[in-house]
Amino acid sequence: MRRTVMRTVAAAVGLVLVWSGLSPIPPAAALDVYVTPGTHQLNDRTWRTTCSPYSSTVTRCRTEIIATTIAARGSSFVSTTGWTFNNLTYKESPRGQWSGNPLATPGEHTLDGRSWKTECDTPTTGRNGCRSWIRASVVDVVSTNPARHGWKSMWVFNNMVRFDGAGQPATPPTIQAPTKACVGAPIPSGFDVLANGMPSLPATGQQPAGAFNPQYIGNFIRQVLKDTRSTAAQKKCLATTAAGHLLARSTTRVVDGVTSRWFPFDFDYSANPSVSTLVAPWYSGLAQANILTLSVLLEDISGDPAWRQYGRETFESFMVPASGGGFTSREKGFLWFEEYPTTPGTSVLNGNFEALIAMAYWGKNMNEPRATAMVNETLAELRPLLQASEVDVEAGLL
């Protein structure tokens, strides 16, 4: 099986003479186009997938996408639109049976004169998975003014291998009692901490005392990490203790093998008097974005690589539409991350933009094309989005 897999994939790629900038854009959690046979519409693209037995224990799926590509025809380059190979996916199977296979062995490999490279269990691949690229000569844009195409040698995504357990969420650690480093550690101004180390606001008009508020806890952690009065040990103690409460109260959903992580508000909240009260547990795009970017900082300060996986699971919550219990909405004709996912959406502008900043940060730092695509989608629709956010007041538009 070790060489058979590689030979079969190489044959599927052939000599790559066409390049359209295609990349493995993972689908929303509600539909995994890579392993669902048929023709699908997702993210305004048309996908087609076929699956068949590859061995007695592995099913392989081939996914194509309607795309415009540039191909070399003699001395010219011709644009065509049609079905274009996107990638192969080997469905979940035991990791052990892939031992020694280049498609499941990190690093660069050479087979039949072709160069391959494989990553496994990284932010790009996710836990329990590998992705492989092949080095190929492709047609690409070599200049834009004037537009001109030419040949380039580059890594081209080819396939992914999924192992059993790909949908299992990372297991949150048990909340640890604050260490001695927390004793006497300065608490950032404006924050309160309960005896168990969980930051929590006093009772307010809409929040009971001791309530779990993930946005408040996230902001507390950020202030702790910036507090110049604290030692490194104090920062780590306060931040990881608070983060432990975040994880302990988080929940996960697994849809089509994709795990998303959610941080609930455990109290009812009236975000908009004109719509129904949000009933606990409810989830905010603002809080999810706050924790998403915090996961990178928490990995650094705690030294625990599991935070990278928690971040990936948190990012998957942005793939769930409001109609499916999430907070990502397009009900007004453009992308919006609801700070308060009421029905209809309350559409808080600053909450939406803070979530958008988190998408830009995650897309850049974690090489996540879906996050970058969301940022680009919003920027393309920025004018109508802002116009829809205008409010008539006596002095003019606000």
Side-chain angles (χ1 to χ4, degrees):
M1 179 177 178
R2 296 179 183 177
R3 290 182 64 84
T4 303
V5 172
M6 186 62 81
R7 289 179 186 274
T8 302
V9 175
V13 176
L15 293 176
V16 181
L17 303 180
V18 180
W19 178 245
S20 61
L22 295 177
S23 59
I25 304 175
L31 173 65
D32 190 340
V33 294
Y34 297 137
V35 294
T36 305
T39 302
H40 313 285
Q41 292 293 134
L42 185 66
N43 297 336
D44 298 322
R45 305 297 298 272
T46 304
W47 306 71
R48 181 173 67 186
T49 299
T50 57
C51 300
S52 60
Y54 177 72
S55 69
S56 60
T57 57
V58 178
T59 297
R60 184 177 68 185
C61 300
R62 175 187 174 92
T63 300
E64 300 170 300
I65 189 170
I66 292 289
T68 299
T69 58
I70 307 296
R73 300 283 175 82
S75 59
S76 302
F77 296 102
V78 179
S79 171
T80 59
T81 300
W83 288 112
T84 302
F85 172 80
N86 194 76
N87 71 285
L88 299 172
T89 302
Y90 295 85
K91 296 180 70 172
E92 285 84 351
S93 59
R95 185 188 291 260
Q97 71 179 31
W98 290 87
S99 178
N101 191 296
L103 299 187
T105 304
E108 295 192 17
H109 314 280
T110 301
L111 184 67
D112 296 336
R114 304 297 300 277
S115 296
W116 296 75
K117 71 174 181 179
T118 299
E119 288 186 16
C120 299
D121 303 301
T122 68
T124 299
T125 67
R127 279 200 319 155
N128 292 309
C130 298
R131 294 191 180 196
S132 296
W133 292 258
I134 187 171
R135 192 76 181 180
S137 294
V138 301
V139 175
D140 197 12
V141 176
V142 295
S143 68
T144 58
N145 189 20
R148 188 167 62 87
H149 292 85
W151 290 98
K152 285 186 179 181
S153 176
M154 60 197 308
W155 290 109
V156 179
F157 175 68
N158 181 257
N159 66 80
M160 65 178 81
V161 176
R162 297 178 175 179
F163 304 126
D164 285 347
Q168 296 177 358
T171 303
T174 302
I175 297 176
Q176 300 296 321
T179 66
K180 291 182 179 179
C182 279
V183 177
I187 303 300
S189 176
F191 289 89
D192 290 318
V193 178
L194 303 179
N196 64 359
M198 185 181 83
S200 182
L201 283 165
T204 64
Q206 292 203 13
Q207 176 176 306
F212 180 77
N213 184 322
Q215 176 67 5
Y216 182 82
I217 296 175
N219 288 341
F220 170 83
I221 295 173
R222 290 185 185 279
Q223 292 304 312
V224 164
L225 297 180
K226 294 190 299 183
D227 198 330
T228 58
R229 301 170 299 165
S230 302
T231 66
Q234 289 173 329
K235 290 180 180 181
K236 179 177 180 180
C237 181
L238 289 175
T240 56
T241 300
H245 285 280
L246 281 176
L247 289 173
R249 298 292 290 273
S250 68
T251 61
T252 58
R253 306 178 196 175
V254 180
V255 180
D256 293 333
V258 178
T259 297
S260 54
R261 186 169 294 274
W262 305 75
F263 299 86
F265 287 77
D266 69 355
F267 53 92
D268 297 349
Y269 188 78
S270 177
N272 184 339
S274 66
V275 298
S276 298
T277 295
L278 289 166
V279 177
W282 56 275
Y283 308 92
S284 166
L286 175 63
Q288 294 287 120
N290 192 2
I291 298 169
L292 175 68
T293 54
L294 264 180
S295 65
V296 179
L297 302 178
L298 286 166
E299 179 183 9
D300 289 341
I301 194 169
S302 69
D304 185 356
W307 271 104
R308 185 172 302 185
Q309 178 63 16
Y310 300 141
R312 289 182 59 82
E313 293 167 357
T314 303
F315 172 75
E316 293 297 338
S317 68
F318 287 81
M319 299 296 103
V320 180
S323 59
F327 48 80
T328 300
S329 173
R330 289 180 172 84
E331 67 177 23
K332 294 185 177 180
F334 39 75
L335 177 63
W336 195 286
F337 304 111
E338 292 287 0
E339 179 176 348
Y340 303 110
T342 54
T343 304
T346 299
S347 302
V348 179
L349 187 63
N350 69 317
N352 174 57
F353 280 170
E354 287 196 43
L356 188 69
I357 291 170
M359 288 295 98
Y361 176 87
W362 193 256
K364 179 179 179 180
N365 288 276
M366 293 299 170
N367 191 29
E368 174 50 75
R370 289 176 295 172
T372 302
M374 283 182 160
V375 174
N376 292 337
E377 179 181 348
T378 299
L379 293 179
E381 300 170 338
L382 190 57
R383 184 179 296 276
L385 183 153
L386 292 175
Q387 289 175 341
S389 302
E390 294 174 348
V391 178
D392 289 319
V393 297
E394 291 185 5
L397 290 175
L398 178 64

